[in-house]
Amino acid sequence: MDMTGWEIENPGENLLAVNDKNLKAFMKAYPLSALSPDGTMLFIIRKYHPTLNCSPDDQNHPSDSFRMCLAYYTASTYFFFELPSHFNYNMLSVRYDQNIQDLAITISSREMTRVTNVKELFLKLESFAPKTDAEKEAAFTSLNNEIPPQKQRAPITQTEVSSTVIGMLKNADFDDWWVSEPHKIGFLNDVEMNFTITDYNPNEDENFMEEADEAIRNFMSKTLKDREATTAHVYQNCMDFLDAIGYDEADQHLWDIKDHEEIWNYVTPREIYVTREPYEDKGVYLRLTFSCEWEQEHGLQLVFNKSGKLVRVSDDDGHILGWQGHGMLTD
C-alpha cells in the first residue's frame, strides 16, 4: 500500500525522543517529509480532508476530495499550511540558511519549486481562512524565502498572574501558559478543575486579564441548569459523528439513548482553556474540553465567548472558531 503521510499518529511525541526509530523509518519511506537539522521540527506534505483536520482516507470521515497541506510539527505544537491541491509534489527538504539566519524549506513539484521559511508560511499560507485553489497557487508562487518583519516579543519576566475571579495562576510548561488552583465548576455539578490561560504575554496584552476575568466570571456563574441548555447540541454532535462513521455494534448504547440528558454519562471533563482567538475577531474565549465515547481520538469541546454564550460545539480540533463554520452555533 502506498504511504499517505499519516502513518505517524503523534509526531510531536516522536520528536521528544532522540533518533526515534519509528520516525526515522517513516522519513526514509516517505519522501514528502523532512526534519530540521537539530531534530526539533518535522514537516510533512500530505492530503487532508476537504473540511476536517484529518486524512481524506480516515475511516471515520472518508472523502473523495481533499486539500493538500504542509504539516509543521514541534514537540508541543502543530500547524498546517494549505498548498495548491492540483500540483504534483515530489520533494521536500529543510536546511539552515545563513542568509536569513533561519530554516529554509524547499518544496518541489512538477509544476514549480519554491524555497520558503516558517515565518513566511504563516504570513502567506495560514490555513484558517478558506482560499480557492487559484488563491493558494498565487500565494505559493509568491514564496521567496524572505523573513517577514517581526514585532519584537517582550520578554516574560513574571512567574504568576492574577485573576480577580480565580486568584493566582502560576507559570506552566510554556512561558506564556498559566495554571490556576482547582475550582468547583457549577456547570459540571461542582467537579473541581484547573483553569489554564494560554498564549498570554502579560507584557504585551494589557487588556487580556480583564477580558479573561469576564469570560471566567460568566462561566463560573453557570449551573447544571445551564448545562441542560447545551444538551441538545452535545447529543447532536454525537449523532452527527455516528452518522458519519456508519453503524458499529459497539456504539449501540449511544444509538439507544432516549433521554438526551444521558449523553453526559458518556463524557469526562478534561481541561478548561482561556485564550485570545488569533485569526478572526481576536476576542477572548473559554474552551471546555472533554473525552467522549463517540469521538475517542479528538474528544469534544464547548466554546464560550466572554459574555458566557455558547458559540461552538465540536470535536477538539485546536481551534476556537470553526473552519468553514464547523461546529459553530447560529442561534
Side-chain angles (χ1 to χ4, degrees), residues 197-266:
I197 287 175
T198 68
D199 306 312
Y200 167 51
N201 184 334
N203 298 323
E204 290 182 342
D205 194 340
E206 295 180 358
N207 299 321
F208 179 85
M209 284 309 303
E210 180 180 348
E211 295 180 63
D213 276 346
E214 182 180 351
I216 295 169
R217 183 180 299 109
N218 285 320
F219 177 71
M220 291 286 280
S221 70
K222 294 183 182 297
T223 65
L224 276 177
K225 202 73 176 173
D226 295 291
R227 194 185 76 173
E228 291 173 10
T230 72
T231 297
H233 298 298
V234 175
Y235 174 80
Q236 191 61 51
N237 177 271
C238 174
M239 293 298 107
D240 288 345
F241 182 83
L242 296 181
D243 282 335
I245 65 174
Y247 179 75
D248 186 328
E249 185 178 354
D251 297 324
Q252 187 62 51
H253 62 295
L254 296 170
W255 288 109
D256 288 343
I257 291 175
K258 297 294 188 290
D259 180 356
H260 292 183
E261 279 293 319
E262 293 178 23
I263 197 68
W264 296 104
N265 296 329
Y266 303 104

Coordinates of all heavy atoms in Angstrom, one line a residue, residues 197-266:
I197 N -4.7 29.4 31.2 CA -4.7 30.5 30.3 C -3.5 30.3 29.4 O -2.4 30.0 29.8 CB -4.5 31.9 31.0 CG1 -5.8 32.3 31.8 CG2 -4.1 33.0 30.1 CD1 -5.7 33.5 32.6
T198 N -3.7 30.3 28.1 CA -2.7 30.0 27.1 C -2.4 31.2 26.2 O -3.2 32.1 26.0 CB -3.1 28.8 26.2 OG1 -4.2 29.2 25.4 CG2 -3.6 27.6 27.1
D199 N -1.1 31.2 25.7 CA -0.7 32.2 24.7 C -0.9 33.6 25.2 O -1.2 34.5 24.5 CB -1.4 32.0 23.4 CG -1.3 30.6 22.9 OD1 -0.2 30.1 22.9 OD2 -2.3 30.0 22.5
Y200 N -0.5 33.9 26.5 CA -0.7 35.2 27.1 C 0.6 35.7 27.6 O 1.2 35.1 28.5 CB -1.7 35.1 28.3 CG -1.8 36.3 29.2 CD1 -1.9 37.6 28.6 CD2 -1.7 36.2 30.5 CE1 -1.9 38.7 29.4 CE2 -1.7 37.4 31.3 CZ -1.8 38.6 30.8 OH -1.9 39.7 31.6
N201 N 1.0 36.8 27.0 CA 2.2 37.6 27.5 C 1.7 38.8 28.2 O 1.2 39.8 27.6 CB 3.0 38.0 26.3 CG 4.3 38.7 26.7 OD1 4.4 39.2 27.8 ND2 5.3 38.6 25.9
P202 N 1.8 38.8 29.6 CA 1.3 40.0 30.3 C 2.0 41.3 30.0 O 1.5 42.4 30.4 CB 1.5 39.5 31.8 CG 2.6 38.5 31.7 CD 2.4 37.8 30.4
N203 N 3.1 41.2 29.3 CA 3.8 42.5 29.0 C 3.5 43.0 27.6 O 4.0 44.0 27.1 CB 5.4 42.2 29.1 CG 5.8 41.9 30.5 OD1 5.3 42.4 31.4 ND2 6.7 40.9 30.6
E204 N 2.5 42.3 26.9 CA 2.1 42.7 25.6 C 0.6 43.0 25.5 O 0.2 43.9 24.9 CB 2.5 41.7 24.6 CG 4.0 41.6 24.3 CD 4.4 40.6 23.3 OE1 3.5 39.7 22.9 OE2 5.5 40.7 22.8
D205 N -0.2 42.1 26.1 CA -1.7 42.2 26.0 C -2.3 42.8 27.3 O -2.7 42.1 28.2 CB -2.2 40.8 25.7 CG -3.7 40.8 25.2 OD1 -4.3 41.8 25.5 OD2 -4.1 39.8 24.7
E206 N -2.3 44.1 27.3 CA -2.7 44.8 28.6 C -4.2 44.5 29.0 O -4.5 44.6 30.2 CB -2.5 46.3 28.4 CG -1.0 46.7 28.2 CD -0.9 48.2 28.1 OE1 -1.9 48.9 28.1 OE2 0.3 48.7 27.9
N207 N -5.0 44.3 28.0 CA -6.5 44.1 28.3 C -6.9 42.7 28.6 O -8.0 42.4 28.9 CB -7.3 44.7 27.2 CG -7.1 46.2 27.0 OD1 -6.9 46.9 28.0 ND2 -7.0 46.6 25.8
F208 N -5.9 41.7 28.4 CA -6.3 40.3 28.4 C -7.0 39.9 29.7 O -8.0 39.3 29.7 CB -5.1 39.4 28.1 CG -5.5 38.0 28.1 CD1 -6.0 37.4 27.0 CD2 -5.3 37.2 29.2 CE1 -6.4 36.0 27.0 CE2 -5.7 35.9 29.3 CZ -6.2 35.3 28.1
M209 N -6.3 40.2 30.8 CA -6.9 39.6 32.1 C -8.2 40.2 32.4 O -9.1 39.5 33.0 CB -5.9 39.9 33.2 CG -4.7 39.0 33.2 SD -5.0 37.2 33.1 CE -6.1 37.0 34.5
E210 N -8.5 41.4 32.0 CA -9.8 42.0 32.3 C -10.9 41.2 31.4 O -11.9 40.9 32.0 CB -9.8 43.5 31.9 CG -11.2 44.2 32.1 CD -11.2 45.6 31.7 OE1 -10.1 46.2 31.5 OE2 -12.3 46.2 31.6
E211 N -10.5 40.9 30.2 CA -11.5 40.2 29.3 C -11.5 38.7 29.8 O -12.6 38.1 29.8 CB -11.0 40.3 27.9 CG -11.0 41.7 27.3 CD -10.6 41.7 25.8 OE1 -11.2 41.0 25.0 OE2 -9.5 42.3 25.6
A212 N -10.4 38.2 30.2 CA -10.4 36.8 30.6 C -11.3 36.6 31.9 O -12.0 35.7 32.0 CB -9.0 36.3 30.9
D213 N -11.2 37.6 32.8 CA -12.0 37.5 34.0 C -13.4 37.6 33.7 O -14.3 37.0 34.4 CB -11.6 38.7 35.0 CG -10.3 38.3 35.8 OD1 -10.0 37.1 35.9 OD2 -9.8 39.2 36.4
E214 N -13.8 38.4 32.7 CA -15.2 38.4 32.3 C -15.7 37.1 31.8 O -16.8 36.6 32.2 CB -15.4 39.5 31.2 CG -16.9 39.6 30.8 CD -17.1 40.7 29.7 OE1 -16.1 41.4 29.4 OE2 -18.2 40.8 29.2
A215 N -14.8 36.4 31.0 CA -15.2 35.1 30.5 C -15.3 34.1 31.6 O -16.2 33.3 31.7 CB -14.1 34.7 29.4
I216 N -14.3 34.1 32.5 CA -14.3 33.2 33.6 C -15.5 33.4 34.6 O -16.1 32.5 35.0 CB -12.9 33.3 34.4 CG1 -11.8 32.8 33.5 CG2 -13.0 32.4 35.6 CD1 -10.4 33.1 34.0
R217 N -15.7 34.7 34.9 CA -16.8 35.0 35.8 C -18.2 34.5 35.2 O -19.0 33.9 35.9 CB -16.9 36.5 36.0 CG -17.9 37.0 37.0 CD -17.9 38.5 37.2 NE -16.7 39.0 37.7 CZ -15.8 39.7 37.0 NH1 -16.0 39.9 35.7 NH2 -14.6 40.1 37.5
N218 N -18.4 34.8 34.0 CA -19.6 34.3 33.4 C -19.7 32.8 33.3 O -20.8 32.2 33.5 CB -19.8 34.9 32.0 CG -20.2 36.4 32.0 OD1 -21.0 36.8 32.8 ND2 -19.6 37.2 31.1
F219 N -18.6 32.1 33.1 CA -18.7 30.7 33.1 C -18.9 30.1 34.5 O -19.6 29.2 34.7 CB -17.3 30.1 32.5 CG -17.3 28.6 32.5 CD1 -18.0 27.9 31.6 CD2 -16.4 28.0 33.4 CE1 -18.0 26.5 31.6 CE2 -16.3 26.6 33.4 CZ -17.1 25.9 32.5
M220 N -18.2 30.7 35.5 CA -18.3 30.2 36.8 C -19.7 30.4 37.4 O -20.1 29.8 38.3 CB -17.3 31.0 37.7 CG -15.9 30.6 37.4 SD -15.5 28.9 38.1 CE -15.2 29.3 39.8
S221 N -20.5 31.4 36.8 CA -21.9 31.6 37.3 C -22.8 30.6 36.8 O -24.0 30.5 37.2 CB -22.3 33.0 36.9 OG -22.5 33.1 35.5
K222 N -22.4 29.7 35.9 CA -23.3 28.7 35.2 C -23.5 27.6 36.2 O -22.7 27.2 37.0 CB -22.7 28.2 33.9 CG -22.6 29.3 32.8 CD -22.1 28.7 31.5 CE -22.0 29.8 30.5 NZ -23.3 30.4 30.2
T223 N -24.7 26.9 36.0 CA -25.1 25.8 36.9 C -25.5 24.6 36.0 O -25.4 24.7 34.8 CB -26.4 26.2 37.7 OG1 -27.5 26.5 36.9 CG2 -26.1 27.5 38.6
L224 N -25.9 23.6 36.7 CA -26.4 22.4 35.9 C -27.6 22.8 35.0 O -27.8 22.2 33.9 CB -26.8 21.3 36.9 CG -25.7 20.4 37.4 CD1 -26.3 19.4 38.4 CD2 -25.1 19.6 36.2
K225 N -28.4 23.8 35.4 CA -29.5 24.2 34.5 C -28.9 24.7 33.2 O -29.5 24.5 32.1 CB -30.2 25.3 35.3 CG -31.7 25.5 34.8 CD -32.5 24.3 35.2 CE -34.0 24.6 34.8 NZ -34.9 23.4 35.1
D226 N -27.8 25.5 33.3 CA -27.2 26.0 32.0 C -26.6 24.8 31.2 O -26.7 24.8 30.0 CB -26.1 26.9 32.4 CG -26.6 28.2 33.1 OD1 -27.2 29.0 32.4 OD2 -26.3 28.3 34.3
R227 N -26.1 23.8 31.9 CA -25.6 22.6 31.1 C -26.8 21.9 30.4 O -26.6 21.5 29.2 CB -24.9 21.6 32.1 CG -24.1 20.6 31.3 CD -23.5 19.5 32.2 NE -24.6 18.6 32.6 CZ -24.3 17.5 33.3 NH1 -23.0 17.2 33.7 NH2 -25.3 16.6 33.6
E228 N -27.9 21.9 31.0 CA -29.1 21.3 30.4 C -29.4 22.0 29.0 O -29.8 21.3 28.1 CB -30.3 21.3 31.3 CG -30.2 20.4 32.5 CD -31.3 20.6 33.5 OE1 -32.3 21.3 33.1 OE2 -31.3 20.1 34.6
A229 N -29.2 23.3 29.0 CA -29.5 24.1 27.8 C -28.5 23.7 26.6 O -28.8 24.0 25.5 CB -29.4 25.5 28.1
T230 N -27.4 23.1 27.0 CA -26.4 22.7 25.9 C -26.6 21.3 25.5 O -25.9 20.8 24.5 CB -25.0 22.9 26.4 OG1 -24.7 21.9 27.4 CG2 -24.8 24.3 27.0
T231 N -27.4 20.5 26.2 CA -27.5 19.1 26.0 C -27.9 18.7 24.5 O -27.3 17.8 23.9 CB -28.6 18.5 26.9 OG1 -28.1 18.6 28.3 CG2 -28.7 17.0 26.7
A232 N -28.8 19.4 24.0 CA -29.2 19.1 22.6 C -28.1 19.2 21.6 O -27.9 18.4 20.7 CB -30.4 20.1 22.2
H233 N -27.2 20.2 21.8 CA -26.1 20.4 20.9 C -25.0 19.3 21.1 O -24.5 18.8 20.1 CB -25.4 21.7 21.2 CG -26.3 22.9 20.9 ND1 -26.8 23.2 19.7 CD2 -26.7 23.9 21.8 CE1 -27.5 24.3 19.8 NE2 -27.5 24.7 21.0
V234 N -24.8 18.8 22.3 CA -23.8 17.8 22.6 C -24.4 16.4 22.0 O -23.7 15.7 21.4 CB -23.5 17.6 24.1 CG1 -22.6 16.4 24.4 CG2 -22.9 18.9 24.6
Y235 N -25.7 16.2 22.3 CA -26.3 15.0 21.7 C -26.2 15.0 20.2 O -25.9 14.0 19.6 CB -27.8 14.9 22.2 CG -28.5 13.8 21.6 CD1 -28.4 12.5 22.1 CD2 -29.4 14.0 20.5 CE1 -29.1 11.4 21.5 CE2 -30.1 13.0 19.9 CZ -30.0 11.7 20.4 OH -30.6 10.6 19.8
Q236 N -26.5 16.1 19.6 CA -26.4 16.2 18.1 C -25.0 16.0 17.6 O -24.8 15.4 16.5 CB -27.0 17.6 17.6 CG -27.2 17.6 16.1 CD -28.2 16.6 15.7 OE1 -29.3 16.5 16.2 NE2 -27.9 15.8 14.7
N237 N -24.0 16.5 18.3 CA -22.6 16.2 18.0 C -22.3 14.7 17.9 O -21.7 14.2 17.0 CB -21.7 16.9 18.9 CG -20.2 16.7 18.7 OD1 -19.7 15.7 19.2 ND2 -19.6 17.5 17.9
C238 N -22.9 14.0 18.9 CA -22.7 12.6 19.0 C -23.4 11.9 17.8 O -22.8 11.1 17.1 CB -23.2 12.0 20.3 SG -23.3 10.2 20.4
M239 N -24.6 12.3 17.5 CA -25.4 11.6 16.5 C -24.8 11.9 15.1 O -24.7 11.0 14.2 CB -26.8 12.1 16.5 CG -27.6 11.6 17.7 SD -27.8 9.8 17.8 CE -26.6 9.5 19.2
D240 N -24.3 13.1 14.9 CA -23.7 13.5 13.6 C -22.4 12.7 13.4 O -22.1 12.2 12.3 CB -23.3 15.0 13.6 CG -24.5 15.9 13.5 OD1 -25.6 15.4 13.1 OD2 -24.4 17.1 13.7
F241 N -21.7 12.4 14.5 CA -20.4 11.6 14.4 C -20.8 10.2 14.0 O -20.2 9.6 13.1 CB -19.6 11.7 15.6 CG -18.3 10.9 15.6 CD1 -17.2 11.5 15.0 CD2 -18.3 9.6 16.1 CE1 -16.0 10.8 14.9 CE2 -17.1 8.9 16.0 CZ -16.0 9.5 15.4
L242 N -21.8 9.6 14.7 CA -22.2 8.3 14.5 C -22.7 8.1 13.1 O -22.4 7.1 12.4 CB -23.2 7.8 15.5 CG -22.8 7.8 17.0 CD1 -23.9 7.3 17.8 CD2 -21.5 6.9 17.1
D243 N -23.4 9.1 12.6 CA -23.9 9.0 11.2 C -22.8 9.0 10.2 O -22.8 8.3 9.2 CB -24.8 10.2 10.9 CG -26.3 10.0 11.5 OD1 -26.7 8.8 11.6 OD2 -26.9 11.0 11.7
A244 N -21.7 9.8 10.5 CA -20.6 10.0 9.6 C -19.8 8.7 9.5 O -19.3 8.3 8.4 CB -19.7 11.1 10.1
I245 N -19.6 7.9 10.6 CA -18.8 6.7 10.6 C -19.6 5.5 10.2 O -19.0 4.4 9.9 CB -18.1 6.5 11.9 CG1 -19.1 6.2 13.0 CG2 -17.2 7.7 12.3 CD1 -18.4 5.8 14.4
G246 N -20.9 5.6 10.3 CA -21.7 4.4 9.9 C -21.9 3.5 11.1 O -21.3 3.7 12.2
Y247 N -22.9 2.6 11.0 CA -23.2 1.8 12.2 C -22.1 0.9 12.6 O -21.5 0.2 11.8 CB -24.5 0.9 11.9 CG -24.9 0.0 13.0 CD1 -25.5 0.6 14.1 CD2 -24.6 -1.3 13.0 CE1 -25.9 -0.2 15.2 CE2 -24.9 -2.1 14.1 CZ -25.6 -1.5 15.2 OH -25.9 -2.3 16.3
D248 N -21.9 0.8 14.0 CA -21.0 -0.1 14.6 C -21.7 -0.6 15.8 O -22.2 0.2 16.7 CB -19.7 0.6 15.0 CG -18.6 -0.3 15.6 OD1 -19.0 -1.3 16.2 OD2 -17.4 0.0 15.3
E249 N -21.7 -1.9 16.0 CA -22.4 -2.5 17.1 C -21.9 -2.0 18.5 O -22.7 -1.9 19.4 CB -22.3 -4.0 17.0 CG -23.1 -4.8 18.1 CD -22.9 -6.3 17.9 OE1 -22.3 -6.7 17.0 OE2 -23.5 -7.0 18.8
A250 N -20.7 -1.6 18.5 CA -20.1 -1.2 19.8 C -20.7 0.2 20.2 O -20.6 0.5 21.4 CB -18.6 -1.0 19.6
D251 N -21.3 0.9 19.3 CA -22.0 2.2 19.6 C -23.4 2.1 19.9 O -24.1 3.1 20.0 CB -21.7 3.2 18.4 CG -20.3 3.5 18.2 OD1 -19.5 3.6 19.2 OD2 -19.9 3.6 17.0
Q252 N -24.0 0.9 20.0 CA -25.4 0.7 20.1 C -26.0 1.4 21.3 O -27.1 2.0 21.3 CB -25.8 -0.8 20.2 CG -27.3 -1.1 20.1 CD -27.9 -0.7 18.8 OE1 -27.4 -1.0 17.8 NE2 -29.0 0.1 18.9
H253 N -25.2 1.4 22.4 CA -25.7 2.1 23.6 C -25.9 3.6 23.4 O -26.7 4.2 24.0 CB -24.7 1.9 24.8 CG -23.4 2.4 24.6 ND1 -22.5 1.9 23.6 CD2 -22.7 3.4 25.2 CE1 -21.4 2.6 23.7 NE2 -21.4 3.5 24.6
L254 N -25.1 4.2 22.5 CA -25.3 5.6 22.1 C -26.5 5.8 21.2 O -27.3 6.7 21.4 CB -24.0 6.1 21.5 CG -22.8 6.1 22.3 CD1 -21.5 6.5 21.5 CD2 -22.9 7.1 23.5
W255 N -26.7 4.9 20.3 CA -27.8 5.0 19.4 C -29.1 4.8 20.2 O -30.2 5.4 19.9 CB -27.8 3.9 18.4 CG -26.8 4.1 17.3 CD1 -25.6 3.4 17.1 CD2 -26.9 5.0 16.2 NE1 -25.0 3.8 16.0 CE2 -25.7 4.8 15.4 CE3 -27.8 6.0 15.8 CZ2 -25.4 5.6 14.2 CZ3 -27.5 6.7 14.7 CH2 -26.4 6.5 13.9
D256 N -29.0 4.1 21.3 CA -30.2 3.7 22.1 C -30.7 4.8 23.1 O -31.6 4.7 23.8 CB -30.0 2.4 22.9 CG -30.0 1.2 22.0 OD1 -30.5 1.3 20.8 OD2 -29.5 0.2 22.4
I257 N -29.9 5.9 23.2 CA -30.2 7.0 24.1 C -31.6 7.5 23.8 O -31.9 8.0 22.7 CB -29.2 8.1 24.1 CG1 -27.8 7.6 24.7 CG2 -29.6 9.3 24.9 CD1 -26.7 8.6 24.6
K258 N -32.5 7.5 24.8 CA -33.8 8.1 24.6 C -33.9 9.5 25.3 O -34.4 10.4 24.7 CB -34.8 7.2 25.3 CG -34.9 5.8 24.6 CD -35.4 5.9 23.2 CE -35.7 4.5 22.6 NZ -34.4 3.7 22.4
D259 N -33.4 9.6 26.5 CA -33.4 10.9 27.2 C -32.0 11.5 26.9 O -31.0 11.0 27.2 CB -33.5 10.6 28.7 CG -33.4 11.9 29.5 OD1 -33.2 13.0 28.9 OD2 -33.5 11.9 30.8
H260 N -32.1 12.6 26.2 CA -30.8 13.3 25.7 C -29.9 13.6 26.8 O -28.7 13.7 26.6 CB -31.2 14.5 24.8 CG -31.8 14.2 23.6 ND1 -32.2 15.1 22.6 CD2 -32.2 13.0 23.1 CE1 -32.7 14.5 21.6 NE2 -32.8 13.2 21.8
E261 N -30.4 13.8 28.0 CA -29.5 14.2 29.2 C -28.6 13.0 29.5 O -27.5 13.2 30.1 CB -30.4 14.5 30.4 CG -31.0 15.9 30.5 CD -29.9 16.9 30.7 OE1 -28.9 16.7 31.4 OE2 -30.0 18.0 30.0
E262 N -28.9 11.8 29.0 CA -28.0 10.7 29.3 C -26.7 10.8 28.6 O -25.7 10.2 28.9 CB -28.7 9.4 28.8 CG -29.9 9.0 29.6 CD -30.5 7.7 29.1 OE1 -29.8 6.9 28.4 OE2 -31.7 7.5 29.3
I263 N -26.6 11.7 27.6 CA -25.3 11.9 26.8 C -24.2 12.3 27.8 O -23.0 12.0 27.5 CB -25.5 13.0 25.7 CG1 -24.4 12.8 24.7 CG2 -25.6 14.4 26.2 CD1 -24.4 11.6 23.9
W264 N -24.5 13.0 28.9 CA -23.5 13.4 29.8 C -22.8 12.2 30.5 O -21.8 12.4 31.1 CB -24.0 14.4 30.8 CG -24.5 15.7 30.1 CD1 -25.7 16.1 29.8 CD2 -23.6 16.7 29.6 NE1 -25.7 17.3 29.2 CE2 -24.5 17.7 29.0 CE3 -22.2 16.9 29.5 CZ2 -24.0 18.9 28.4 CZ3 -21.7 18.0 28.9 CH2 -22.6 19.0 28.4
N265 N -23.5 11.1 30.5 CA -22.8 9.9 31.1 C -21.7 9.4 30.3 O -20.9 8.5 30.8 CB -23.9 8.8 31.2 CG -25.0 9.1 32.2 OD1 -24.8 9.9 33.1 ND2 -26.2 8.6 31.9
Y266 N -21.5 9.9 29.1 CA -20.5 9.4 28.2 C -19.4 10.4 27.8 O -18.7 10.2 26.9 CB -21.2 8.9 26.9 CG -22.2 7.8 27.2 CD1 -23.6 8.2 27.1 CD2 -21.9 6.5 27.5 CE1 -24.6 7.2 27.4 CE2 -22.9 5.6 27.8 CZ -24.2 5.9 27.8 OH -25.1 5.0 28.1

